[in-house]
Amino acid sequence: MLKTIVLVVAGAMLVPAQAPAIPKNFLLYEKQARQDNEHWFVSQDDMEEVWNIQCSPVMFSGWKARRDAAYDTRIGGGQRTDRRRGEQLFVFGSAKGAGKMMDRMRALIKECGGTVKSKRLRIGDEALQAARTIKATKRTPFPQTQKFVAVREGSAVAIYWDMHNAAEPLRTLARHRADATKMAAKMARYWSR
């Protein structure tokens, strides 16, 4: 009996650390997204960028697992009426890693100067929201508004975002805050530390 226990413990110690699994349909809009592949995309890889506001392109990394659900009213882009929204979930190996992602988002917003309106929120362990409107120019023929709310709970970060050109937005910041609050409670059951 003792020999069996020692072998089981030794075997468990040899198994490599697994990435934190994200349960299927864990995202708030994932089930809906899986039922409509005409407008929705669901991804567990790097299909989508990290939908935060930044004034120069920056790559994010470091998570162990991620999932994206993105909705586009008209696939293809470039139209005056472009409207998109989505949610993203990033799971890190530790709360420290997730906290670094939040720090990076705040730093990128600061680099934008006064073009981005942002504030910290009291959701989860930490949260922030931001909005930016880009005026139309010769290079960018349509105005564009970007908004997001990011929330960290333990070792996970969720982002609720939307982007629209010269069209009505699909979501408001209030709706993003409500979604972030709901997701923070779900994340707490899995990744709170």
Side-chain angles (χ1 to χ4, degrees):
M1 173 88 172
L2 184 58
K3 193 174 191 180
T4 304
I5 293 171
V6 170
L7 288 174
V8 170
V9 171
M13 290 172 59
L14 295 175
V15 175
Q18 298 292 317
I22 300 171
K24 186 175 180 180
N25 294 329
F26 188 81
L27 300 180
L28 300 182
Y29 298 99
E30 185 175 345
K31 190 172 183 179
Q32 177 184 354
R34 290 184 187 279
Q35 295 170 351
D36 174 9
N37 59 10
E38 185 178 342
H39 296 101
W40 282 94
F41 298 96
V42 177
S43 174
Q44 291 185 182
D45 55 26
D46 293 336
M47 179 189 82
E48 291 284 343
E49 59 187 79
V50 177
W51 281 88
N52 61 78
I53 295 170
Q54 46 188 278
C55 295
S56 59
V58 175
M59 296 299 291
F60 282 78
S61 62
W63 50 82
K64 303 292 184 190
R66 91 179 261 177
R67 187 162 306 147
D68 302 86
Y71 177 85
D72 195 336
T73 55
R74 185 173 173 182
I75 308 301
Q79 296 88 8
R80 176 180 296 278
T81 57
D82 272 2
R83 297 185 304 161
R84 291 181 249 166
R85 71 178 177 91
E87 69 178 319
Q88 298 180 296
L89 177 63
F90 304 88
V91 181
F92 292 81
S94 67
K96 185 176 180 180
K100 284 182 181 179
M101 183 178 192
M102 296 293 289
D103 291 343
R104 186 99 186 269
M105 282 190 271
R106 281 190 288 273
L108 290 169
I109 288 169
K110 281 185 182 178
E111 288 177 13
C112 294
T115 64
V116 177
K117 294 179 182 177
S118 68
K119 71 176 184 178
R120 291 180 187 245
L121 302 171
R122 292 182 179 184
I123 304 171
D125 289 331
E126 61 178 314
L128 72 136
Q129 75 175 32
R132 178 185 187 205
T133 299
I134 303 166
K135 295 181 180 178
T137 63
K138 285 183 181 179
R139 191 173 173 200
T140 311
F142 311 119
Q144 185 180 88
T145 301
Q146 305 166 343
K147 299 186 297 275
F148 82 94
V149 171
V151 60
R152 180 183 71 81
E153 180 64 48
S155 60
V157 174
I159 300 176
Y160 291 88
W161 62 269
D162 72 283
M163 184 283 299
H164 63 93
N165 288 347
E168 290 296 313
L170 291 169
R171 288 291 186 263
T172 62
L173 279 170
R175 180 65 183 268
H176 290 326
R177 288 191 299 269
D179 285 345
T181 301
K182 189 173 181 180
M183 180 53 83
K186 288 183 76 169
M187 293 188 304
R189 294 194 295 269
Y190 284 83
W191 300 292
S192 189
R193 295 181 186 181

